[in-house]
Amino acid sequence: MNFQRLETILSQISQLRIAVIGDFALDFYYVFNPETAEISVETGKEVQHASKAKTYLGGAGNVAKNLAQLGAQVDAYGLRGNDVFGREMEYIAQSLQINTHQLKVKNEIDTPTYGKPMRQEVEDRRLDFGTRNHRFQQFTPEVIDALSEHVKEYDWIIINEQFQIPLLDEANLRNLQKIIGSNAIADLRSLGAFATETLLKVNEAELQNIIGTSSEVEESIKTWAAKRQKPVLVTLGDQGMVYASPTEFHWERAIPIQGPIDTVGAGDMVVAGFSAARATGASIQEACEFASLAVHISIHHIGETGSASPDAIRQLHHGHSIA
């Protein structure tokens, strides 16, 4: 992909409208010090200190964030609670100009939130809120109906599933696939076997669960795509990513890393980058190369689910340092 082609894709991304439906969450990072020798007067127990609190969109929200920072107009379809984390999610989304009119507020649920204590730049045991909402799926038809009403307005649709009790179950996923058409991708933690009508993105671990361990990765992926009769996008860490369909195959090798990396959220960046490029009409090879540029930038953001700006992508494409 030459410079002129990259500029065309970046320009066209700014004209896109993309829907993201699925498990929206908030990532809540803070520096954690559990050993303070300070005793609470009220409880007699040792006080634990936290500082430098930061919040980011997580889950489907991270995909939406990545798309927004690439320049696309993004509409969020999902659920949040009427609580402090939900209001923070709304605030961050609106600051990124993500449309949250279909991010429905429900008093019956807690906003899904990943509390991430950091000790010496290493994530400690998470404190999660709302990721096992037993009432979550009672509102799913309402979300899908809303998307159905507007589906023709979108250039691309992304389906995300992440929670222990997700927005979508098998039946809802099958129904959703009938609605959204072919310009779509699904990134599903546990429902991948049911994404029978849609391009499916999987990582290495998910791939092994589906096809088992194989020394012939290329042939195994080709065989799987042929059996599915639908395309797949497989992320392979430092080996890059593979796109395979019954008629097409492309292996995009990863750009060599530069220093420390943080791969949390890397898959979300691949989904966003690939989707944005494909929605402009880019070829499979171009979309994979664009996603590779974006994820290379993203993983060099330490202690957060990173993103990639158009300027950073331009600089990396030109061989300059990461911005």
Side-chain angles (χ1 to χ4, degrees):
M1 181 167 55
N2 60 30
F3 170 74
Q4 184 176 5
R5 187 69 187 116
L6 176 64
E7 284 298 317
T8 298
I9 291 171
L10 286 170
S11 175
Q12 291 176 335
I13 286 174
S14 67
Q15 306 302 313
L16 296 176
R17 190 175 179 191
I18 297 176
V20 180
I21 181 170
D23 294 343
F24 282 81
L26 190 72
D27 287 339
F28 175 35
Y29 287 86
Y30 53 94
V31 176
F32 179 54
N33 178 14
E35 300 171 358
T36 65
E38 179 182 343
I39 303 301
S40 167
V41 175
E42 292 80 7
T43 67
K45 298 179 180 179
E46 186 174 9
V47 176
Q48 299 176 333
H49 289 177
S51 62
K52 299 180 180 178
K54 296 179 181 179
T55 52
Y56 305 93
L57 296 181
N62 191 44
V63 180
K65 175 205 71 175
N66 290 336
L67 288 164
Q69 294 193 335
L70 287 171
Q73 171 58 54
V74 186
D75 290 4
Y77 285 80
L79 302 171
R80 73 168 179 88
N82 185 20
D83 52 31
V84 62
F85 293 128
R87 290 187 287 275
E88 180 69 4
M89 179 187 291
E90 183 86 14
Y91 172 80
I92 297 172
Q94 290 188 357
S95 70
L96 292 165
Q97 298 184 315
I98 295 170
N99 180 1
T100 60
H101 290 165
Q102 302 300 337
L103 188 61
K104 299 183 181 300
V105 182
K106 300 298 178 182
N107 292 326
E108 296 88 343
I109 66 171
D110 294 317
T111 300
T113 301
Y114 296 110
K116 300 188 175 187
M118 305 295 293
R119 299 179 66 182
Q120 298 178 342
E121 297 188 346
V122 176
E123 185 178 320
D124 209 330
R125 290 180 296 175
R126 283 205 327 247
L127 179 64
D128 291 356
F129 299 80
T131 57
R132 297 192 180 192
N133 282 309
H134 291 280
R135 301 186 69 180
F136 212 61
Q137 292 178 355
Q138 76 181 72
F139 304 110
T140 303
E142 181 182 348
V143 177
I144 293 177
D145 287 347
L147 177 58
S148 179
E149 291 179 12
H150 300 281
V151 68
K152 293 182 179 180
E153 300 171 12
Y154 298 110
D155 301 291
W156 193 269
I157 295 173
I158 296 171
I159 306 171
N160 169 279
E161 178 249 334
Q162 181 165 334
F163 301 151
Q164 292 284 338
I165 302 176
L167 177 71
L168 301 171
D169 59 13
E170 177 185 345
N172 284 315
L173 178 60
R174 292 189 187 279
N175 182 35
L176 181 59
Q177 289 177 95
K178 295 175 184 177
I179 295 168
I180 61 176
S182 59
N183 286 349
I185 189 171
D187 186 2
L188 309 171
R189 185 159 291 183
S190 66
L191 295 172
F194 308 108
T196 55
E197 303 297 326
T198 306
L199 165 61
L200 176 64
K201 176 264 176 188
V202 299
N203 60 29
E204 287 181 276
E206 292 161 344
L207 178 66
Q208 287 188 7
N209 288 336
I210 294 168
I211 67 172
T213 303
S214 173
S215 59
E216 298 293 334
V217 175
E218 180 173 332
E219 288 305 314
S220 295
I221 294 173
K222 287 179 177 178
T223 300
W224 176 42
K227 182 178 179 180
R228 268 176 48 85
Q229 286 297 300
K230 290 292 178 182
V232 295
L233 181 65
V234 184
T235 56
L236 297 171
D238 60 5
Q239 297 301 307
M241 71 188 75
V242 168
Y243 175 94
S245 75
T247 60
E248 193 168 0
F249 183 88
H250 176 71
W251 192 325
E252 183 71 27
R253 300 292 177 176
I255 301 168
I257 63 174
Q258 302 173 11
I261 62 170
D262 186 341
T263 59
V264 175
D268 295 336
M269 188 73 253
V270 169
V271 169
F274 180 89
S275 296
R278 280 295 282 165
T280 69
S283 68
I284 294 298
Q285 182 173 342
E286 288 173 333
C288 288
E289 183 178 351
F290 186 86
S292 183
L293 290 166
V295 76
H296 182 80
I297 295 162
S298 172
I299 63 176
H300 286 85
H301 291 258
I302 307 300
E304 62 177 280
T305 50
S307 59
S309 69
D311 283 344
I313 290 173
R314 291 186 182 98
Q315 290 182 29
L316 180 58
H317 184 264
H318 293 322
H320 297 305
S321 60
I322 299 170

